[in-house]
């Protein structure tokens, strides 16, 4: 099976340019052994490479490329299958764009190809090549610093968030602005979920858990701090008085509705959109804000953006894991961020585990985060600081 991987990367500042021909010559020996062909473009700063061949061979070559210390910010733009090679004549030709006339540059690159199709046939691989050659999309190249550029300095969360919440089976998680060193919200999370399989019982347990989290937060959450609590969307459908129960619980807990942000998961299918929409209206009339959680991990996120118009979305870890090296995820998240900006919807990203993930998302315009990178052992915040020796 013929596999294609296309990536873009940034040459290291300390990599001498005069080693590139020898580097390609050595790579060609390995590529030939694995029956991998393609083309390598270089514009003085960035590499762009198309790798084509048997899936195992392409994966092995790409793994070596990702571990090469002579470049960084390696972003996989495309991974797909093809009926034929686009560049099958040359083992791996180095094409330095700086040495060619800009008016004929694209055609000169295409002339190296062996495909019978041209750009008019909308081949994705060749469209990526054209975009790079014509220096389009440069504004979306976010140059992420190496992970070892940062130290993460521990700081205790406010003592009020340790107890009594934890003793009632509620865990508090901070939502933070890392560069601003600010806690922008607190999430109250019940420590266990219902083991019941019956829908009614499961959603009744969920409603009780949300009210329990609100009561615990009323005793622990600092005054005026935004409070984030998640609820299953079908809980708002099955129990028609759920909104009034939640509003009563908020006041009884010493909180105010304007302080509370209720998150509904995109993962659960909403079987009665009319009743759900009515519950959302009642929530907003009461002053409670709404968030779509696990955005991008379900099947109705864009529809909910259009018809429900939440105040926040929270993007889950599946969509952001290794986003610094995934071209498809980057394109999707950039579109979501632009969409939310146009609709004045704030974006929260959860599940951050790597410094590179956080740095890419910061560069894309996100400022509110959750995840193990910033929260250690449930009660210790870790703020990013530039290492002194960098």
């Amino acid at each position: 099976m013929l596999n294609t991987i296309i990536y873009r990367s940034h040459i290291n500042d300390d990599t001498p340019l005069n080693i590139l021909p020898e580097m390609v010559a050595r790579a060609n020996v390995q590529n030939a052994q694995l029956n991998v062909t393609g083309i390598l473009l270089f514009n003085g700063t960035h590499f762009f490479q198309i790798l084509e061949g048997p899936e195992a061979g392409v994966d092995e070559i790409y793994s070596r490329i990702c571990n090469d210390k002579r470049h960084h910010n390696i972003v996989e733009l495309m991974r797909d299958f093809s009926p034929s090679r686009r560049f099958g004549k040359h083992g791996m030709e180095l094409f330095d764009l700086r040495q060619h006339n800009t008016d004929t540059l694209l055609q000169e690159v295409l002339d190296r190809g062996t495909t019978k199709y041209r750009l008019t046939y909308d081949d994705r691989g060749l469209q990526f090549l054209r975009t790079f050659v014509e220096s389009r999309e440069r504004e979306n190249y976010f140059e992420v610093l190496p992970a070892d550029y940062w130290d993460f300095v521990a700081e205790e969360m406010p003592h009020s968030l340790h107890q009594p919440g934890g003793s009632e089976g509620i865990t508090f998680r901070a939502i933070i602005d890392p560069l601003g060193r600010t806690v922008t919200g607190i999430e109250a999370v019940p420590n266990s979920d219902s083991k019941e399989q019956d829908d009614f019982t499961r959603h009744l347990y969920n409603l009780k858990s949300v009210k329990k989290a609100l009561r615990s937060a009323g005793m622990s959450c600092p005054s005026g701090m935004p409070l984030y609590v998640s609820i299953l969307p079908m809980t708002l459908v099955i129990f028609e008085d759920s909104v009034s129960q939640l509003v009563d619980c908020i006041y009884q807990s010493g909180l105010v509705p304007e302080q509370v942000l209720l998150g509904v998961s995109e993962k659960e299918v909403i079987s009665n959109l009319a009743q759900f929409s009515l519950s959302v209206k009642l929530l907003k009339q009461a002053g409670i804000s709404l968030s779509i959680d696990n955005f991008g991990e379900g099947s109705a996120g864009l529809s909910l953006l259009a018809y429900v118009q939440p105040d926040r979305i929270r993007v889950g870890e599946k969509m952001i894991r290794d986003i610094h090296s995934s071209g498809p995820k980057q394109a999707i998240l950039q579109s979501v961020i632009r969409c939310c900006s146009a609709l004045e919807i704030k974006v929260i990203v959860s599940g951050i585990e790597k410094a590179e993930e956080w740095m890419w998302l910061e560069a894309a315009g996100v400022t509110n985060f959750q995840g193990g990178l910033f929260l250690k052992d449930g009660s210790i915040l870790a703020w990013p600081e530039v290492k002194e020796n960098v």
Side-chain angles (χ1 to χ4, degrees):
M1 185 173 291
L2 190 63
N3 191 30
T4 300
I5 290 180
I6 300 177
Y7 75 89
R8 182 188 68 240
S9 67
H10 191 295
I11 191 170
N12 287 350
D13 292 339
D14 58 357
T15 299
L17 298 184
N18 59 8
I19 72 166
L20 297 184
E22 181 184 354
M23 178 188 76
V24 173
R26 290 182 178 179
N28 266 329
V29 175
Q30 298 173 335
N31 293 352
Q33 293 172 348
L34 296 170
N35 195 23
V36 173
T37 60
I39 191 168
L40 174 64
L41 308 184
F42 181 63
N43 64 10
T45 303
H46 295 96
F47 293 109
F48 173 95
Q49 187 165 18
I50 297 178
L51 297 167
E52 301 176 303
E55 186 172 8
V58 170
D59 285 345
E60 182 175 335
I61 293 295
Y62 186 61
S63 177
R64 293 176 186 173
I65 289 170
C66 290
N67 291 319
D68 194 318
K69 303 302 182 183
R70 290 170 293 195
H71 63 161
H72 61 283
N73 283 343
I74 303 164
V75 178
E76 182 182 303
L77 301 172
M78 188 181 95
R79 181 184 290 262
D80 208 350
F81 300 94
S82 306
S84 60
R85 298 176 191 257
R86 299 171 182 84
F87 296 91
K89 290 181 181 177
H90 308 277
M92 188 59 62
E93 181 180 7
L94 172 64
F95 197 93
D96 192 332
L97 305 186
R98 300 170 301 167
Q99 299 175 1
H100 297 267
N101 187 305
T102 55
D103 294 333
T104 60
L105 184 55
L106 179 60
Q107 190 58 52
E108 290 181 53
V109 174
L110 290 175
D111 286 343
R112 266 52 174 194
T114 56
T115 178
K116 59 183 178 180
Y117 300 116
R118 291 301 184 188
L119 293 176
T120 53
Y121 290 87
D122 294 327
D123 177 86
R124 287 184 63 221
L126 295 180
Q127 291 287 1
F128 272 117
L129 184 147
R130 178 176 185 170
T131 295
F132 183 80
V133 169
E134 296 180 347
S135 296
R136 292 185 284 149
E137 299 287 336
R138 290 290 293 272
E139 69 276 8
N140 295 325
Y141 292 7
F142 298 152
E143 306 297 354
V144 176
L145 296 169
D148 58 9
Y149 186 88
W150 301 94
D151 272 331
F152 288 84
V153 181
E155 176 184 293
E156 287 284 331
M157 286 180 69
H159 181 71
S160 61
L161 295 178
H162 299 177
Q163 298 292 339
S167 64
E168 291 193 2
I170 304 296
T171 298
F172 292 102
R173 299 173 182 167
I175 302 168
I176 69 169
D177 174 358
L179 293 182
R181 295 180 70 92
T182 305
V183 176
T184 59
I186 297 294
E187 180 182 15
V189 185
N191 290 343
S192 60
D193 200 358
S194 171
K195 301 298 188 294
E196 299 289 342
Q197 298 300 314
D198 173 72
D199 267 2
F200 181 87
T201 305
R202 183 165 64 91
H203 288 90
L204 177 61
Y205 181 89
N206 177 240
L207 181 59
K208 291 179 178 179
S209 295
V210 171
K211 292 194 289 185
K212 180 180 179 181
L214 290 170
R215 288 192 294 269
S216 184
M219 295 183 285
S220 306
C221 190
S223 178
M225 176 68 71
L227 175 67
Y228 202 113
V229 184
S230 294
I231 190 170
L232 294 173
M234 284 301 294
T235 297
L236 299 172
V237 172
I238 293 173
F239 304 101
E240 296 183 2
D241 66 339
S242 57
V243 174
S244 61
Q245 288 191 50
L246 293 173
V247 172
D248 289 344
C249 185
I250 287 170
Y251 282 118
Q252 292 167 6
S253 303
L255 302 167
V256 294
E258 289 78 7
Q259 182 181 3
V260 177
L261 195 150
L262 206 62
V264 296
S265 175
E266 188 194 338
K267 290 182 178 180
E268 185 176 55
V269 176
I270 302 172
S271 61
N272 188 336
L273 190 57
Q275 180 59 42
F276 177 74
S277 298
L278 176 60
S279 296
V280 169
K281 291 178 183 178
L282 295 175
L283 285 171
K284 293 192 173 185
Q285 285 175 354
I288 299 171
S289 297
L290 185 76
S291 169
I292 300 175
D293 286 357
N294 309 110
F295 190 86
E297 297 180 19
S299 59
L302 294 178
S303 296
L304 289 175
L305 276 185
Y307 296 111
V308 176
Q309 297 194 26
D311 304 282
R312 306 279 194 281
I313 67 166
R314 184 162 61 165
V315 182
E317 61 183 74
K318 288 184 179 179
M319 282 300 300
I320 61 89
R321 183 63 67 242
D322 294 319
I323 191 170
H324 57 287
S325 60
S326 171
K329 288 183 179 181
Q330 290 179 8
I332 293 168
L333 259 295
Q334 284 175 318
S335 297
V336 168
I337 291 167
R338 284 193 292 266
C339 174
C340 288
S341 176
L343 295 173
E344 302 296 346
I345 296 171
K346 292 185 178 180
V347 178
I348 301 169
V349 174
S350 63
I352 299 291
E353 299 293 338
K354 299 178 182 180
E356 299 95 329
E357 295 168 348
W358 160 61
M359 286 185 285
W360 189 92
L361 289 158
E362 279 275 4
V366 180
T367 57
N368 291 282
F369 296 91
Q370 289 178 295
L373 184 67
F374 309 111
L375 186 62
K376 311 296 182 183
D377 302 323
S379 61
I380 301 176
L381 290 172
W383 301 105
E385 290 186 1
V386 178
K387 288 184 177 179
E388 293 182 0
N389 60 349
V390 175

